[in-house]
Amino acid sequence: MEGPKSKSKGAWPPERLPVELFTLIVSYLPRSGVQNMRLINKEFDRKVSEALFRIVVVPFRPEIYGITPETTGSNDIPHGSIMLQDQGMRVFQGFGRWIKRFAMSFEIDHAKLANPPRKSDQEVILSFWGPYRWPFKTYNRYSQLEGLEQTADETRTMAKALKYICSAKELGLSIDGGLGWLAGPDINQRVAERGEKLVVFGASKFVPEPRFMSTKAPLKLSIQTTPAADQPGTEYARYLRMVLEAGIPEGEADAAVQMLQDDDRAGGTVLYGDNGPTDVPIPQAPDMWRPHRRQITTANSTVMDIPEDLAEVSDEDVDGDASLAVAGRSSGYTKKPSKHMPEACPLKPNDLTNAQREMLLEMEWAQNAFMQSWAIAIMDNHSTFSCIGKLNIARLPSRHLSILRREDFWDSLPALKCLSLAIIPDWREVKKEATSWVQDNRVAPSQAVVAVYDLLTQQIARREHIKELHFEWLCGGEYAPGLFARNQHILAAPVVAYAMHMVNRSQQHPILDLPHIEHLSLKNCWISPHILSRFLGPMRKGALQSISFDSVSLTSMVPQNAQPNPLTQAAVVQNAQIAQHGQAAVNHLFLQFQGMQNAFIGPALQAQVQPVVAPNPNAAPAWLESPRVGSWADIINNMTPSTTLEDIRHAREFGPEPEPKKPTKLTKLTFTSCGYARVALDFDQTALDPTIAAQPQPAAITKRIAELDSQMMKPLEAYTMATIVNHMDLAEVQTLENAWNMNVGWHHSHLELYNDALFDGFSNAGQGRFNGLIEIAQGPPSRRFSPRTTPEVPYGIFP
């Protein structure tokens, strides 16, 4: 009798604590602690799982299988995908009801692209005189990528899995196939050392994981002490795999390998002649990380099969993405980025190896199959996703946009209110020729503008239930790290059908019309002033309530009836030098503007700043004068729902009472690091030129650029891509600061980004970029409006 009593004393009191207390405890724990907490008992599992699996991202990447240098013969068919999905289905069944924000990701590993696994272009053929090697009759594929494509092709299985995501309110997608901009050796070490992961749903809500000493050393030691002949990267191991796949019995495999090696030595050939020495082991993941497609048991290899603990559910990762990790037995293997990059980077974006081109090609095949299955799975589960309110496309190559133009896809999301679209423009296309040779060809990144414009006009603009739209380019700009990427390669905003329509004023081109959008956000793009006027003019009269511009750059004003042409090569080089060179003197001028004039201004600069402070108290200050046509000050003055320059002049008795404006629903304007950009076209852009000569770049930066230039990608139609100008006229700076309380320059608001840009050689980073917020309270306008009806002049009418 005492046994049960003593047992009950130490038992957990069931159902005593409310779920709110569990949620409070979870907020103080890292993800691993929450996972351990969930394993205590069923009550903990039930009350913790809701917080643990609220945000989930399912990675659908090559790492699921582990790319290995296995070859694919005629009778070598992957058969693991069905087992994978059968085991993974239980994960969706068990935890799908908790998921509120669900996403899938399929992104290429750039480290593996730099060092792709080796695969043979020959197979072993058996004959009466013995085995010999012969080229494959058909294109030989990476076995794991082939299996991944077959998994993605199983549309019914994906549709069945997504059926269990019944409580989600937000869907996400993140795809990167490596066909956009490749950095290669152009690495910003500051960014690389931070090791920031790509996120879908933003920063993590959990406490960061504690950092302990790595426990991977024993694994590294075991790999180093493995005999060279047994390592999977050696010539012997590759020959052994080939002869076993050819059907040679295990007992005769060693003799067959010796025969093939003797033949190669006699003929002076090697197995992988163009990939380096074959006797040197290739560093790669241990066998425990990559499940094989077939069981091979020899003296030199162990039995490998689909792991039983295949689906390990996890919550948000360190950087905020929750993951439904398909980890296998990978707990003992981690990638450690080297602290110092090697002198010769194996990934040269402008000159890919054949193995790298093949990897990109097969990745594209797999991702295309995945996109088709993902879209069809959503359409087949239209009742499950009828309550989805937001679609977050965190990353998507422009070549896949055609799949999203299907009308039945958007019909399956009737409650969708918010759409976020971040597009990776394609820089190349990879094709397999009839000879099985893989060739990559350059494509113009500006073609992505056409694809996005078609999607917005054909599907998004006409749907009344979509009220919020965010768009950004994932290519170049001031957020892109690297000497050859930062501040460059900025694409036009997709508000016109073709990029050149931004500057072609010889005729009037159609403009994107979004009559139902209430909240608009644009990021990392350039736009001409007259197009911005035509784009926002009708929206202001309609439902538009707020506008957010993040790293949006205006060009100089394009003259009426102008049809600019691309600049000559010499002019392009000159513009590139202007963009690259530091402008420290301009930076000092901005410091003088912040109240340090007396300490730093020289006589020449005083002559420029002196007119800002008018000696005559009855005269209007210079910043109240009409701004340059097409400038940001002019755009904001015509667009603002708040005070205009005319209002300020009238309030200070420097001008007459302005004409009343018709009230609109627009109440909020947000600007984050906006400024100006230059395009390589032959129209007058001198208004963007700095008044102080740029200082030369440091010798180390110049040398680095010269070393890497031949290896970096060169865009087609480069004249459609803009380069940031880190300069703004002083009069406009005063207007922005005094009239609308903007902050010009990054200062302390973008300290991390500023230091990254300095590392890339941009000493004038952030100059000429402004931040600010203009917002008025909703309700009756504070300004007095005339009761009489007056014809409204469209804002921003430019000559």
Side-chain angles (χ1 to χ4, degrees):
M1 296 294 293
E2 294 182 2
K5 288 183 179 179
S6 61
K7 203 170 188 179
S8 62
K9 290 182 180 178
W12 168 260
E15 305 300 334
R16 296 286 184 87
L17 298 181
V19 67
E20 292 80 7
L21 189 55
F22 280 85
T23 303
L24 183 62
I25 295 173
V26 164
S27 64
Y28 290 93
L29 296 177
R31 180 186 58 180
S32 59
V34 179
Q35 290 173 331
N36 295 332
M37 183 179 176
R38 174 179 157 265
L39 300 177
I40 294 177
N41 56 39
K42 291 185 178 180
E43 182 183 357
F44 276 65
D45 177 30
R46 187 177 66 257
K47 294 183 177 180
V48 170
S49 293
E50 184 176 359
L52 185 60
F53 301 105
R54 184 179 291 113
I55 303 175
V56 172
V57 175
V58 179
F60 199 90
R61 300 184 300 229
E63 287 83 341
I64 293 177
Y65 292 83
I67 300 178
T68 62
E70 295 182 345
T71 58
T72 305
S74 58
N75 60 348
D76 189 13
I77 302 175
H79 60 271
S81 59
I82 298 296
M83 182 181 299
L84 168 71
Q85 293 183 352
D86 287 344
Q87 295 184 3
M89 192 65 64
R90 293 196 292 268
V91 177
F92 285 98
Q93 291 176 346
F95 306 102
R97 68 184 185 277
W98 303 116
I99 300 175
K100 302 300 181 183
R101 306 169 74 183
F102 174 78
M104 300 189 74
S105 64
F106 192 169
E107 297 149 353
I108 193 169
D109 188 334
H110 290 274
K112 291 185 177 179
L113 178 62
N115 296 280
R118 299 185 180 186
K119 65 174 180 178
S120 176
D121 57 356
Q122 297 175 341
E123 61 180 337
V124 173
I125 305 296
L126 301 180
S127 64
F128 65 91
W129 68 80
Y132 65 95
R133 292 186 290 110
W134 196 254
F136 284 98
K137 296 179 181 178
T138 58
Y139 173 75
N140 181 34
R141 299 192 59 178
Y142 289 109
S143 56
Q144 274 66 37
L145 280 178
E146 184 179 11
L148 190 57
E149 181 183 354
Q150 291 185 357
T151 303
D153 274 330
E154 295 170 1
T155 306
R156 292 184 179 180
T157 309
M158 182 178 291
K160 181 181 178 182
L162 296 187
K163 179 181 65 176
Y164 298 106
I165 313 297
C166 54
S167 301
K169 300 299 182 183
E170 179 177 351
L171 285 180
L173 183 67
S174 178
I175 296 181
D176 181 6
L179 297 179
W181 169 264
L182 292 177
D186 186 17
I187 301 297
N188 185 307
Q189 199 61 35
R190 278 180 50 86
V191 177
E193 289 178 354
R194 287 201 299 267
E196 297 175 349
K197 296 182 180 180
L198 300 177
V199 298
V200 178
F201 294 124
S204 175
K205 306 299 186 296
F206 290 98
V207 175
E209 293 284 347
R211 297 190 177 186
F212 301 106
M213 294 184 60
S214 176
T215 58
K216 312 304 179 186
L219 176 62
K220 183 177 181 181
L221 180 61
S222 65
I223 296 176
Q224 292 176 344
T225 57
T226 304
D230 295 344
Q231 293 188 21
T234 61
E235 179 186 88
Y236 181 89
R238 293 193 294 273
Y239 274 127
L240 178 62
R241 184 179 294 110
M242 293 173 65
V243 298
L244 290 174
E245 290 180 347
I248 297 178
E250 178 185 333
E252 304 174 8
D254 187 70
V257 171
Q258 296 295 335
M259 181 183 299
L260 292 173
Q261 289 180 326
D262 292 341
D263 291 342
D264 285 343
R265 295 188 183 97
T269 60
V270 292
L271 183 59
Y272 300 93
D274 59 345
N275 286 334
T278 59
D279 292 331
V280 179
I282 304 173
Q284 50 183 288
D287 285 343
M288 64 185 299
W289 166 245
R290 44 180 174 83
H292 290 267
R293 296 180 300 124
R294 59 170 63 188
Q295 290 187 357
I296 303 176
T297 308
T298 66
N300 298 318
S301 60
T302 58
V303 177
M304 299 298 296
D305 204 342
I306 298 296
E308 296 178 359
D309 55 341
L310 185 63
E312 178 186 345
V313 182
S314 65
D315 178 63
E316 299 181 23
D317 58 25
V318 176
D319 290 298
D321 284 344
S323 58
L324 193 61
V326 183
R329 292 185 176 92
S330 61
S331 58
Y333 174 70
T334 57
K335 293 184 299 181
K336 293 184 179 180
S338 61
K339 221 171 186 182
H340 303 285
M341 294 296 295
E343 290 297 329
C345 179
L347 180 59
K348 300 178 180 179
N350 201 38
D351 185 21
L352 299 179
T353 65
N354 188 57
Q356 291 168 344
R357 291 194 296 267
E358 290 181 355
M359 189 173 179
L360 289 177
L361 175 67
E362 298 185 33
M363 177 64 70
E364 181 189 353
W365 288 345
Q367 289 185 343
N368 187 66
F370 170 80
M371 273 297 300
Q372 295 281 358
S373 296
W374 180 79
I376 294 175
I378 291 179
M379 291 184 285
D380 290 347
N381 291 287
H382 55 86
S383 60
T384 302
F385 297 124
S386 59
C387 296
I388 293 295
K390 181 176 181 180
L391 179 60
N392 183 2
I393 309 293
R395 274 163 291 276
L396 184 68
S398 58
R399 64 181 55 247
H400 297 308
L401 284 171
S402 58
I403 299 176
L404 296 183
R405 289 204 297 267
R406 297 185 54 166
E407 185 169 358
D408 46 358
F409 173 81
W410 298 101
D411 290 342
S412 303
L413 303 171
L416 186 66
K417 294 183 178 180
C418 180
L419 173 63
S420 179
L421 198 60
I423 300 301
I424 304 173
D426 292 329
W427 281 60
R428 74 173 88 231
E429 61 179 1
V430 187
K431 294 183 177 180
K432 182 175 72 69
E433 300 178 351
T435 58
S436 293
W437 178 260
V438 177
Q439 184 65 38
D440 65 325
N441 302 311
R442 291 192 301 166
V443 297
S446 59
Q447 292 181 3
V449 177
V450 183
V452 177
Y453 179 84
D454 290 343
L455 172 64
L456 296 178
T457 54
Q458 295 175 15
Q459 295 298 334
I460 308 304
R462 62 186 181 85
R463 299 188 180 272
E464 298 182 6
H465 55 84
I466 299 181
K467 301 298 184 182
E468 299 181 26
L469 175 63
H470 168 80
F471 176 81
E472 65 177 291
W473 292 117
L474 298 180
C475 174
E478 55 194 357
Y479 298 132
L483 292 169
F484 291 84
R486 193 179 299 277
N487 283 14
Q488 307 166 61
H489 310 315
I490 306 171
L491 287 178
V495 299
V496 288
Y498 298 93
M500 287 301 291
H501 288 179
M502 276 285 186
V503 293
N504 188 347
R505 302 193 68 180
S506 60
Q507 56 180 320
Q508 193 167 4
H509 300 284
I511 299 292
L512 177 65
D513 184 21
L514 301 172
H516 309 297
I517 296 298
E518 297 178 356
H519 306 281
L520 175 67
S521 174
L522 295 177
K523 183 177 180 180
N524 192 32
C525 58
W526 68 269
I527 190 169
S528 56
H530 71 281
I531 292 295
L532 183 60
S533 168
R534 290 183 54 199
F535 172 57
L536 293 181
M539 295 184 66
R540 289 179 67 248
K541 301 176 185 178
L544 189 63
Q545 299 179 14
S546 67
I547 305 174
S548 176
F549 290 141
D550 188 348
S551 191
V552 175
S553 302
L554 283 179
T555 65
S556 184
M557 192 64 196
V558 182
Q560 187 71 32
N561 300 321
Q563 188 175 356
N565 296 311
L567 288 174
T568 61
Q569 185 62 29
V572 171
V573 172
Q574 182 180 1
N575 284 339
Q577 292 175 349
I578 293 176
Q580 289 281 350
H581 287 174
Q583 298 173 0
V586 179
N587 189 27
H588 290 313
L589 202 56
F590 275 95
L591 293 178
Q592 297 157 8
F593 231 53
Q594 301 299 320
M596 302 173 64
Q597 294 94 328
N598 296 332
F600 297 102
I601 295 180
L605 299 184
Q606 289 176 356
Q608 298 181 19
V609 179
Q610 187 174 358
V612 174
V613 181
N616 185 1
N618 297 324
W623 60 267
L624 271 178
E625 297 178 0
S626 297
R628 175 176 60 86
V629 176
S631 64
W632 272 114
D634 184 40
I635 294 289
I636 296 175
N637 189 51
N638 289 286
M639 184 171 54
T640 178
S642 182
T643 306
T644 64
L645 293 177
E646 291 77 12
D647 294 330
I648 299 176
R649 281 197 290 265
H650 174 65
R652 298 189 180 189
E653 300 181 353
F654 291 133
E657 181 179 3
E659 289 289 332
K661 286 187 177 182
K662 184 178 179 181
T664 66
K665 295 182 179 179
L666 183 64
T667 60
K668 184 177 181 181
L669 300 177
T670 305
F671 300 92
T672 304
S673 191
C674 295
Y676 294 99
R678 184 190 304 273
V679 287
L681 298 171
D682 61 354
F683 68 97
D684 185 11
Q685 302 180 66
T686 56
L688 308 180
D689 293 341
T691 56
I692 301 177
Q695 68 177 13
Q697 285 184 322
I701 297 296
T702 305
K703 180 182 178 182
R704 181 68 172 165
I705 293 176
E707 292 174 348
L708 301 181
D709 182 70
S710 62
Q711 305 178 35
M712 304 308 296
M713 305 172 71
K714 306 298 187 297
L716 288 179
E717 299 183 3
Y719 52 85
T720 62
M721 307 179 80
T723 301
I724 286 179
V725 177
N726 285 123
H727 170 73
M728 182 179 289
D729 183 72
L730 290 178
E732 184 175 3
V733 171
Q734 283 193 322
T735 302
L736 293 176
E737 291 182 340
N738 295 323
W740 299 292
N741 198 29
M742 300 291 176
N743 296 316
V744 181
W746 283 352
H747 306 299
H748 300 291
S749 60
H750 298 77
L751 186 59
E752 192 74 41
L753 186 61
Y754 175 75
N755 291 328
D756 292 343
L758 287 181
F759 198 90
D760 287 328
F762 292 89
S763 59
N764 58 344
Q767 294 180 13
R769 316 297 288 183
F770 68 94
N771 305 269
L773 172 66
I774 300 176
E775 187 174 12
I776 62 174
Q778 294 183 352
S782 57
R783 285 183 54 185
R784 180 177 60 85
F785 293 93
S786 174
R788 56 186 172 86
T789 302
T790 56
E792 181 185 10
V793 179
Y795 98 94
I797 296 298
F798 301 129

